[in-house]
Amino acid sequence: MNYLNLLKVAVKAIASNKFRSFLSMLGIIIGVAAVIIMMAIGQGSKESVRQNISQMGTNLIMVRPGADMRGGVRQDPSAMQTLKQEDYESIVQNKKYVTYVSPEVSAGGQVIYGANNTTTTIYGESLEYFDIKQWSVEQGDSFSEEDIRKAAKVCVVGKTIIDELMPNVNEPIGKTIRFKSIPFRIVGVLKSKGYNSWGMDQDNVIIAPYTTVMKRILAQTFFSSINCSAITEELTDILRQTHKIKDGEEDDFTIRSQQEIMDTMSSTMDSITIILVVAAAFSLIVAGIGIMNIMLVSVTERTKEIGLRMSVGARGIDISAQFLIESIMISVTGGVLGIIVGWLGTVLCANFGLPVSIPMWSILLSFAVCTIIGILFGFFPAKKAATMDPIEAIRYE
Amino acid sequence: MLKDVKTGTDRKVVIRLDNVRRDFKVGEETVHALRGVSFEICEGEFVTIMGTSGSGKSTLLNQLGCLDTPTSGEYYLDGIPVKKMKKNERALLRNRKIGFVFQNYNLLPKTTAVENVELPLMYNSRYSARERKEAAIEALKAVGLGDRLYHKSNQMSGGQMQRVAIARALVNNPTIILADEATGNLDTRTSFEMLVLFQKLYNEGRTIIFVTHNPEIAQYSSRNITLRDGKIRQDIVNPNIQSAAEALAALPANQDD
Ligand SMILES: Nc1ncnc2c1ncn2[C@@H]1O[C@H](COP(=O)(O)OP(=O)(O)OP(=O)(O)O)[C@@H](O)[C@H]1O
Ligand SMILES: [Mg+2]
């Protein structure tokens, strides 16, 4: 029998038992939909993490105190005091490839305006911070070099601070808020960045001159980190020189580039995705067994038909092809429906705010897997049909 | 070689049975359906096979149709022992050389007459879809079902189903036609119409083996074999073959015609 006829026969067989065919497809539909959704979420999260990290700034490099020890005891980096004003200054002086540099100190606490208060983090930064983070001031202006030199009590605030503290105030610029009882005059409002993929409100920040935060809030002389947009090797050299670290001695700071952070995050996301997809793949195997079961029933049910076909000249291979095509058709139809359901599910997830993106290869993979399942689990029933004896089969009641 | 009754020339032996036995195991017991059957049938013979119910007629026909193989003994088709053939070779013979009308029709359920008749040609790649359909329609017209082409098998009467089964056996232009009770469910007139058809095929030189319970039909064949208890009891050549067409013409007209 040629393929067209085989297809027709398979379609007819499936159509004459619509409900049963649908039930046997259901496993495949659910399995494929699950795989598609898992992959879409995995891929989507990965992309959104990448996006978030790149939102941190262009080619951001973070310098932190303490060696990046792998294994062994590691001191709490925030307790270490190796990053100082002269580090910052020497980076600024020696920089060739470094575009922007900003030291960073931060403190968490309550901020008060009138009767309202909210919990936030205050970051002490230099002016170049806004360039590193690609963050613009929407209303008013950022603080000035002058403010940094004088450790002036001025700040730029995120949208959330305004929403929480002064919901009814039209003009926040010039108003004074208090952080740990120290008054800060608002000079600018940051453009909203919204939530990042970890669910953090990026607008719940106060940014002030680093000098102000260090002297007036923390009373410390070291930085918690230095953020740059630059090239790693150069920074390492600059810092080693200022710290007078001899050759062969270990760095007393760690430089982590944005790329590294991204890679770590991606590989974490990848392994989560793999686990989810493997779980979904198991459900596909179970679905395949379901198809095999139905095909076996179908072969038994149609024993008489098989006998008849054989008696008019069908060879074993014609019969097995008929059942194999039927099982492939069930699983591939299930696969197509599964892709549609998966796509709808993905759209639904997107509506709930989950980052999703369906990779093309996951659709192709689903197709391939369904065909393989059809062949694999249709093989045994098809073989059973093909090896029947014509006269015994035709007498079967 | 037998002398041709019609022309007196030597004719080729197509079917030769040599002490064919067929046993069936039913639980502990063994049923001997055929107990050593031997005969030769030449090309172009019209053989009727008669015998009481359970005498082994269908079992014999299954052997001749390459649907089943003997428990012992040998069946030579065109000189080749069927037992030694591969499964696929037997399938090919059934498809190209043999037309088989089953005692209980065996039509595909919920399938139209045309599709049922097309079935053997489905397994013959030499036919295109169009040729297949044309051949099926022609065969159905030959059995008088030109007006029932697209009726499904479950929407037809017993006699109509029987005629679909005959059409299916003829559609592949077989050289050997095996019919098991092919007129058992037909009224006298339609039976004669079928007999006319079989005689026409006989005159075309095809070999026909026709199982029947009706002794009258033997007059229209060239030879009659009677089975009893799985053995041949009688094998007689009919020197005086009646014309089914004449008998049909002589039948009183149907009341509602
Ligand atoms: N598959 C089978 N298994 C067991 N016994 C069988 C089988 N086929 C036939 N028989 C037995 O073989 C014997 C001959 O059966 P067969 O069908 O050939 O009879 P028949 O001459 O065609 O009868 P009828 O005129 O009623 O159709 C019967 O006794 C039957 O019970
Ligand atoms: Mg019988």
Side-chain angles (χ1 to χ4, degrees), chain A residues 168-183:
Chain A
N168 304 317
V169 176
N170 293 330
E171 183 50 57
I173 308 296
K175 299 284 183 300
T176 302
I177 54 176
R178 284 173 178 276
F179 186 91
K180 292 199 172 164
S181 75
I182 297 149

Side-chain angles (χ1 to χ4, degrees), chain B residues 41-200:
Chain B
I41 293 176
C42 291
E43 198 170 35
E45 277 194 90
F46 186 167
V47 183
T48 43
I49 296 180
M50 307 220 320
T52 51
S53 179
S55 56
K57 304 182 297 294
S58 296
T59 309
L60 177 61
L61 218 56
N62 289 341
Q63 296 289 335
L64 298 179
C66 299
L67 286 167
D68 200 6
T69 48
T71 311
S72 73
E74 201 68 75
Y75 162 33
Y76 301 90
L77 180 63
D78 280 331
I80 303 159
V82 171
K83 227 192 213 170
K84 302 235 161 60
M85 289 179 190
K86 294 201 184 77
K87 268 182 139 189
N88 283 354
E89 290 171 328
R90 285 202 290 268
L92 195 69
L93 275 178
R94 292 197 294 266
N95 191 239
R96 306 286 154 87
K97 208 175 159 66
I98 299 168
F100 202 106
V101 186
F102 290 94
Q103 190 168 12
N104 47 357
Y105 332 131
N106 285 324
L107 301 185
L108 283 179
K110 296 186 224 159
T111 308
T112 63
V114 168
E115 283 175 299
N116 263 295
V117 175
E118 274 183 335
L119 197 63
L121 305 182
M122 286 277 197
Y123 299 100
N124 185 342
S125 53
R126 270 180 274 173
Y127 281 80
S128 73
R130 220 192 61 228
E131 289 167 335
R132 209 160 58 212
K133 197 164 172 184
E134 281 169 2
I137 291 173
E138 203 186 312
L140 281 166
K141 280 184 180 157
V143 296
L145 285 177
D147 55 345
R148 291 284 187 279
L149 297 178
Y150 299 103
H151 282 229
K152 295 202 169 153
S153 38
N154 49 325
Q155 300 165 340
M156 284 187 280
S157 73
Q160 286 166 342
M161 288 198 274
Q162 189 150 43
R163 282 184 284 160
V164 173
I166 295 173
R168 187 180 60 198
L170 302 182
V171 77
N172 57 344
N173 258 319
T175 53
I176 301 172
I177 297 155
L178 305 167
D180 198 348
E181 286 285 335
T183 56
N185 250 314
L186 303 176
D187 58 284
T188 322
R189 174 169 283 273
T190 320
S191 310
F192 273 105
E193 280 167 5
M194 290 305 111
L195 267 183
V196 170
L197 179 62
F198 277 97
Q199 278 198 336
K200 184 174 150 263

Side-chain angles (χ1 to χ4, degrees), chain A residues 137-149:
Chain A
V137 178
E138 202 173 48
Q139 278 178 62
D141 234 323
S142 72
F143 43 82
S144 62
E145 291 289 352
E146 176 91 3
D147 291 329
I148 293 174
R149 219 173 312 123

